[in-house]
């Protein structure tokens, strides 16, 4: 008879006691614990084995051990794990509740009354994505049925010899096996080759763009190591002592705005406190507002600063023709502009520091070829939410790497439309402001470069501004920023080819500036990661290497985030969000290139006026120092007004938009991630899963603030 397994019930095996201190289920500690050894699992009936066990115990000090000790610990750990699972479950329930509320109160982008895209073009694009989605769902069901029937594939590239054995006409197969066999042959012979060709083309473009980004980063590193930066030829002079031979030319300051009631106060106050001789500066408030209340408020603000002694004028256009370009063009036609040598331009949410002109204008002295001095942007709300943090990563790389490297080595970069000082002669010789695109700033920069003017970027001169805090505002901004360059490329390509500039400058402008960074980047981002990758899950004969999916994008994201090191914890969300935004950028690029949809639609980016009180307080203090004996704006009155505006903003009903294209792509990628499990593709599965979740969060407008 087999020995009985009741050895743990005997009192002789009491072992070392365990003291467990337990304040709550999640906080416990153990004073002493020794795990069971092999001796504890010997049969007590066996005398020889028992004596051996006793001898070993005596050698170790006679300490008994008991497996019950481990059982108690495992129970405690299981209790703790159950508590963690409960927390995760409650978090998921809370997330589901938030999603349900947002969906219930949201509006789809197709029913938005202020549509940013042409409905016909938008419908076509959305239809294509829906076709891919439904096709992928059908294929997923088909593949799962095949998997259940025994068609198991352990790698993305199938063994063709095995497949042809399965598809042998002489073999006995049921109806499903026959259909699936033919489907496999169609994939191998007809679908996989063109898909693989497109995949290889996108990989090549991806590598070229990655090399370009790496070269830019190396150029930025060289600039830092060598301490290269533009320097003015003459230091500024104290204004209290008069001009004193200092360089203080006539400067025109322009603030174009349209219905900017959230930010007009601080922008006007900031430019009115610029440290420059009052007789050498004129401020133009160029208002395109169509809201009577906003017009009245801006007029009142201008009159208040006029009474304080500021040299400021107000211009209002009833017909908003040409948008911002038309506004600037109209202002430059004023007769008094001929008396000024330079013009500084600030958007309505920009707040230059008082020494802005003293740090930018001196660079023009004795440098007659210089047409533009551009300052970098800094953001007052970069830590407001996840969306603003991710934007800060992008723009930090744009200014510190792209703009700085191009400015140092090429003397050319795209004008950012604000926080820059132009030589008026350069504007006039280049043809002035034109309303032919939605990127009038890039347009004038390209034409000025073709006329031989040089640009300087000052990385150490900052101008505060505001980032869009809602996804809706950011999406419209990105649509304009990526549609306009393609419009401009179509229009200026003949001029670039005919221009009397070096071959290298033509190559840089055509291939690097326009094609690689404005066209190829959104094309391969969308095509490679949102279309080709999920398709390779259903056509596994066409493969996408793991290094394309993981290692190269991770390296590029690491390089992108270097100028903003504090954002390093957001490197993974940044990578996923950039791929998510490729839908909007690709759609905008196509509409601009082929003049489709909203190629010429201009939507003013929504502002929130986050920086209002702090900046107004500092500006009032600054004004009280400079305006001796003069009345200054009432600080308490400003605080009260800001408080009232915040209360009104809270009372406004906010809602979310449901973005159909992003949701469709979310389900497409999640469906493909399920299919990738059948092929045991680890890195592809995780990428598709997390990218699908990213699209889902954006599609449900769970990133950024709600909109009014």
């Amino acid at each position: 008879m087999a020995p009985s397994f009741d050895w743990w019930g005997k009192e002789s095996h009491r072992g070392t006691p365990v003291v467990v201190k337990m304040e709550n289920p999640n906080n416990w500690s153990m004073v002493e614990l020794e795990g069971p050894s092999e001796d504890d699992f010997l049969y007590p009936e066996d005398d020889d084995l028992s004596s051996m066990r006793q001898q070993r115990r005596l050698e170790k000090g006679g300490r008994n051990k008991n497996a019950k000790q481990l059982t108690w610990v495992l129970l405690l750990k299981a209790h703790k794990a159950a508590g963690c699972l409960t927390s995760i479950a409650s978090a998921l329930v809370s997330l589901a509740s938030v999603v349900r509320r947002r969906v219930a109160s949201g509006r789809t982008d197709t029913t938005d009354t202020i549509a940013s895209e042409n409905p016909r073009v938008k419908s076509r694009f959305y239809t294509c994505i829906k076709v891919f989605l439904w096709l992928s769902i059908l294929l997923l069901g088909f593949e799962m049925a095949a998997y259940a029937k025994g068609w198991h594939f352990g790698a993305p590239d199938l063994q063709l010899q095995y497949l042809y054995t399965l598809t042998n006409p002489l073999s006995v197969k049921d109806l499903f096996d026959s259909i699936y066999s033919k489907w496999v042959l169609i994939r191998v012979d007809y679908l996989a080759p063109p898909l693989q060709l497109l995949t290889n083309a996108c990989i090549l473009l991806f590598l070229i763009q990655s090399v370009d980004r790496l070269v830019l980063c190396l150029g930025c590193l060289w600039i830092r190591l060598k301490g290269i930066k533009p320097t003015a030829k003459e230091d500024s002079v104290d204004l209290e002592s008069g001009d004193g031979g200092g360089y203080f030319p006539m400067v025109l300051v322009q603030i174009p705005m349209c219905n900017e009631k959230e930010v007009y106060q601080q922008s006007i106050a900031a430019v009115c406190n610029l440290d420059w001789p009052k007789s050498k500066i004129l401020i133009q408030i160029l208002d395109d507002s169509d809201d009577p209340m906003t017009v009245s408020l801006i007029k009142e603000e201008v009159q208040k600063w006029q009474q304080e002694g500021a040299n400021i004028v107000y211009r209002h256009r009833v017909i908003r023709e040409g948008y911002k370009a038309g506004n600037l063009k109209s202002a430059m036609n004023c007769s008094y502009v001929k008396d000024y040598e330079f013009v500084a331009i600030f958007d309505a949410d920009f707040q230059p520091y008082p020494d802005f002109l003293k740090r930018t204008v001196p660079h023009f002295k004795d440098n007659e070829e210089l047409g533009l001095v551009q300052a970098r942007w800094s953001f007052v709300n970069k830590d407001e939410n996840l969306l603003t943090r991710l934007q800060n990563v992008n723009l930090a790389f744009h200014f510190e790497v792209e703009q700085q490297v191009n400015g140092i080595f090429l003397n050319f970069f795209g004008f950012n439309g604000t926080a820059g000082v132009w030589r008026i002669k350069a504007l006039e010789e280049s043809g002035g402001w034109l309303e032919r695109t939605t990127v009038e700033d890039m347009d004038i920069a390209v034409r000025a470069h073709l006329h031989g003017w040089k640009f300087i970027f000052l990385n150490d001169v900052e101008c505060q501004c505001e980032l869009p805090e809602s996804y809706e505002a950011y999406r419209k901004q990105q649509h304009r920023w990526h549609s306009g360059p393609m419009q401009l490329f179509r229009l200026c390509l003949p001029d670039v080819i005919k221009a009397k500039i070096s071959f290298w400058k033509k190559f840089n402008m055509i291939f690097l500036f326009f094609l690689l960074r404005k066209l190829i980047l959104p094309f391969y981002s969308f095509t490679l990661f949102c279309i080709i990758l999920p398709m390779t899950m259903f056509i596994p004969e066409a493969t996408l290497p793991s290094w394309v999916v993981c290692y190269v994008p991770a390296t590029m994201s690491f390089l992108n985030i270097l100028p903003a090191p504090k954002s390093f914890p957001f490197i993974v969300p940044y990578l996923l969000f950039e791929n998510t935004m490729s839908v909007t950028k690709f759609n905008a690029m196509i509409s601009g290139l082929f003049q489709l949809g909203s190629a010429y639609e201009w939507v003013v980016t929504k502002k929130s006026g986050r920086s209002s009180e702090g900046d107004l307080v500092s500006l009032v203090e600054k004004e009280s120092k400079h305006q001796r004996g003069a009345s200054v704006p009432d600080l308490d009155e400003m605080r009260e007004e800001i408080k009232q505006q915040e209360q009104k903003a809270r009372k406004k009903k906010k809602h979310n938009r449901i973005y159909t294209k992003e949701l469709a792509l979310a389900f497409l990628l999640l469906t493909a991630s399920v299919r990738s499990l059948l092929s045991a593709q680890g890195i592809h599965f995780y990428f598709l899963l997390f990218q699908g979740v990213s699209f889902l969060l954006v599609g449900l407008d769970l990133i950024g603030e709600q909109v009014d």
Side-chain angles (χ1 to χ4, degrees), residues 280 342 407:
K280 299 294 184 68
F342 303 102

Side-chain angles (χ1 to χ4, degrees), residues 417 460 470 522:
D460 57 343
S470 70

Side-chain angles (χ1 to χ4, degrees), residues 104-324:
S105 62
R107 305 177 186 174
T108 62
D109 53 350
T110 55
T111 59
D112 191 2
T113 56
I114 312 176
S116 61
E117 302 175 46
N118 184 286
R120 183 179 299 177
V121 177
K122 187 175 187 179
S123 176
R124 291 175 183 172
F125 189 63
Y126 180 46
T127 300
C128 292
I129 295 178
K130 284 197 297 184
V131 169
F132 273 108
L133 173 60
W134 288 112
L135 184 61
S136 67
I137 292 176
L138 291 175
L139 287 176
L140 176 62
F142 195 45
E143 294 290 338
M144 294 184 73
Y147 188 84
K149 294 283 290 183
W151 293 77
H152 299 168
F153 309 121
D157 46 344
L158 306 180
Q159 299 178 4
L160 298 184
Q161 183 178 359
Y162 173 68
L163 286 177
Y164 281 114
T165 301
L166 290 174
T167 56
N168 188 349
L170 300 179
S171 61
V172 179
K173 302 181 290 293
D174 58 17
L175 179 61
F176 181 85
D177 287 335
S178 177
I179 295 174
Y180 194 80
S181 300
K182 292 179 180 179
W183 163 242
V184 171
L185 289 177
I186 292 173
R187 283 184 352 210
V188 172
D189 295 334
Y190 300 104
L191 299 181
L195 180 59
Q196 189 65 60
L197 181 63
L198 179 61
T199 302
N200 294 338
C202 287
I203 291 175
L204 179 62
L205 296 176
F206 182 29
L207 292 178
I208 294 173
Q209 199 274 335
S210 300
V211 170
D212 172 64
R213 187 139 300 196
L214 179 61
V215 170
L216 288 174
C217 291
L218 292 176
C220 183
L221 179 62
W222 178 263
I223 291 172
R224 283 202 168 192
L225 292 177
K226 295 295 182 179
I228 304 173
K229 70 174 185 177
T231 55
K233 293 189 176 181
E234 182 177 337
D235 295 331
S236 57
V237 181
D238 187 8
L239 296 179
E240 295 295 334
S241 61
D243 290 354
Y247 185 63
F248 296 104
M250 300 289 287
V251 177
L252 182 68
V253 179
Q254 296 177 333
I255 305 181
M257 58 178 63
C258 180
N259 297 323
E260 311 273 10
K261 60 183 178 180
E262 296 85 4
V263 293
Y264 72 93
Q265 282 183 307
Q266 57 259 41
S267 61
I268 293 176
V271 296
C272 287
N273 281 277
L274 286 172
D275 204 357
W276 203 253
K278 299 298 182 182
S279 60
K280 299 294 184 68
I281 186 173
L282 174 65
I283 301 167
Q284 286 182 316
I285 306 301
L286 311 177
D287 188 17
D288 269 4
S289 303
D290 54 9
D291 176 27
M293 179 61 69
T294 304
V295 171
S296 176
L297 290 173
I298 297 175
K299 270 186 179 180
E300 183 180 348
E301 186 71 14
V302 171
Q303 290 173 359
K304 181 179 70 177
W305 284 102
Q306 285 175 341
Q307 294 172 2
E308 298 299 326
N311 194 9
I312 182 172
V313 296
Y314 175 82
R315 299 186 81 254
H316 178 253
R317 293 197 310 164
V318 178
I319 301 176
R320 191 189 171 201
E321 182 180 354
Y323 303 109
K324 181 180 176 181

